[in-house]
Amino acid sequence: MSDWTPDKDRRLDAFLEANDPEVPQAPVGERERIRHRLRQRPVWVWNWSSMGSAFAGIAAALIVWMALPVGQGRVTEEDWWDSAEAEVLLDEEPAREWAMLIQSVD
Amino acid sequence: MSGHAERSRSPAEGADDFDLLYARYHRLVRSVLYKIARPDQLDDLVQEAFLKIWRGRESVTDPRKLTSWVCRVAVNAARDAWRAERHVPPPSPLDERMPAPPGGSPEARELLQHGLASLSVSHREVIVLHCLEGISVDEVAEALEISAGTVKSRLHYARIALYEFLERNGGIP
C-alpha cells in the first residue's frame, strides 16, 4: 500500500474511463410502470409486527387512562370534592355562603 | 403571492411532474444501481428508487443537493435489497489466469464489473459514485451521509484494492 504512486493513480483512472460498464437499456415502458405504481394506493400490510404495535398502543393508552388523576378522567362526585379544582373553588367562596349552601342541601 | 408559492415548491417538483424527474435522473439511477447492486435486481431497484424519489421529493429544499439526494435514494434502495436478503452480494468468482483484456473491450468491462464486485460495499459505493459517475466528493459525502474525509479515505483504499485486483487479473499491465 505504501508504494501507491501517481502513475498507478493515472493508470487506474485511464482504465476506469475506458471500461466504464455499459448499462443495459431501461425496459420498454419502465416509466409507465412506475407511474402506474405511483397511482396505486399504498397497501398496509397486516402482520404480527404491526399487530404487536397496535396492541402495545392500546395497552399504553389504557394504562395512561387508568393513571389519570382525579378531575381529568375517571371522576365520581365524591372524588371531585377531593380534587384540586374543588379546593380552589372552596378557597374562593366566602365560608359563610358555603355554610348556607350546605345547610340548604341538608 | 405567486412568487411566494413558487418559492415554497421543492426543486424536484418545480419543473412540473414525474416525466421531467425521470428524464433527468433515470440514467444516473440506473447506472449507479447497475454498478453497485446485482444485475438481476436492476429493474426492480430502479422502480423502487423512483417511487421513493417521487414520494420524497418535497423533502429536498436545496436544488444543489438534488443529485446527491437522488444518489442517496438509489444507494439506499440497493442496501434495502441486501438487507431483505440478509446478505451482501459475494464477489463474483474469477479465473485468476484470465488473459489480459484489451482496453475498452467487453472483456475489460466485465473484468471491471468483477473488480467492483470484489470490493466491500462501502468501497464499491464511493468508487462508483465518484470515479465512474463523476459525483464530487462533497456530494458523495451527502449521498452516503458520511464526512468528506471519510469519503476520501474510503476512496484511497478502494482505489488501491481495485488497482491490485485489476493488476492481478491482467487488466492493468
Side-chain angles (χ1 to χ4, degrees):
Chain A
M1 284 193 189
S2 58
D3 62 346
W4 185 252
T5 62
D7 178 55
K8 289 183 177 179
D9 229 19
R10 280 192 296 272
R11 287 160 73 186
L12 179 61
D13 281 334
F15 185 90
L16 292 175
E17 191 177 349
N19 299 296
D20 191 355
E22 285 182 28
V23 181
Q25 291 281 325
V28 176
E30 178 183 71
R31 187 178 57 186
E32 287 312 310
R33 272 196 291 279
I34 299 171
R35 274 188 164 286
H36 177 71
R37 287 183 64 184
L38 282 170
R39 281 194 292 269
Q40 290 176 327
R41 300 179 71 179
V43 177
W44 190 66
V45 180
W46 183 263
N47 56 31
W48 286 110
S49 175
S50 56
M51 278 179 69
S53 301
F55 283 127
I58 292 168
L62 192 61
I63 290 167
V64 169
W65 184 80
M66 293 290 285
L68 276 175
V70 171
Q72 295 180 34
R74 302 163 293 117
V75 179
T76 63
E77 193 174 346
E78 294 78 26
D79 290 337
W80 189 86
W81 284 108
D82 294 326
S83 70
E85 188 182 353
E87 279 180 21
V88 171
L89 191 62
L90 288 168
D91 288 340
E92 287 175 351
E93 290 291 333
R96 186 170 53 80
E97 288 182 23
W98 271 101
M100 289 173 62
L101 180 65
I102 291 166
Q103 281 172 6
S104 69
V105 172
D106 288 342
Chain B
M1 286 294 282
S2 61
H4 176 76
E6 195 61 38
R7 277 195 303 276
S8 67
R9 298 175 74 170
S10 78
E13 188 185 31
D16 192 32
D17 64 0
F18 177 76
D19 284 349
L20 188 63
L21 195 71
Y22 181 86
R24 185 169 174 188
Y25 287 108
H26 88 272
R27 284 180 196 280
L28 174 63
V29 169
R30 195 166 184 80
S31 184
V32 167
L33 285 169
Y34 179 68
K35 292 163 193 169
I36 66 172
R38 283 211 329 253
D40 62 309
Q41 295 177 316
L42 177 62
D43 293 339
D44 289 341
L45 290 179
V46 170
Q47 285 196 26
E48 286 302 320
F50 267 103
L51 291 175
K52 287 172 182 165
I53 288 167
W54 182 250
R55 286 172 181 154
R57 67 195 184 282
E58 290 179 0
S59 66
V60 185
T61 53
D62 186 347
R64 292 167 299 179
K65 296 188 175 178
L66 196 51
T67 300
S68 60
W69 179 75
V70 165
C71 288
R72 184 193 307 172
V73 175
V75 168
N76 284 342
R79 290 177 177 175
D80 287 346
W82 295 328
R83 275 194 211 106
E85 293 182 349
R86 289 183 171 78
H87 79 281
V88 171
S92 306
L94 186 68
D95 184 353
E96 293 288 329
R97 293 162 297 174
M98 178 181 282
S105 67
E107 292 82 6
R109 290 198 178 99
E110 192 181 343
L111 180 64
L112 179 54
Q113 283 284 70
H114 284 291
L116 292 172
S118 74
L119 299 176
S120 69
V121 173
S122 59
H123 283 177
R124 192 185 319 151
E125 287 171 351
V126 293
I127 286 279
V128 167
L129 292 175
H130 182 68
C131 301
L132 295 176
E133 299 303 330
I135 308 292
S136 72
V137 167
D138 287 339
E139 285 179 311
V140 174
E142 283 172 12
L144 300 180
E145 297 179 286
I146 55 179
S147 71
T150 304
V151 174
K152 288 176 186 170
S153 170
R154 286 185 188 176
L155 269 173
H156 176 69
Y157 290 107
R159 287 173 66 85
I160 290 172
L162 185 58
Y163 184 92
E164 287 177 348
F165 177 91
L166 294 171
E167 189 178 42
R168 196 166 57 244
N169 291 284
I172 294 179

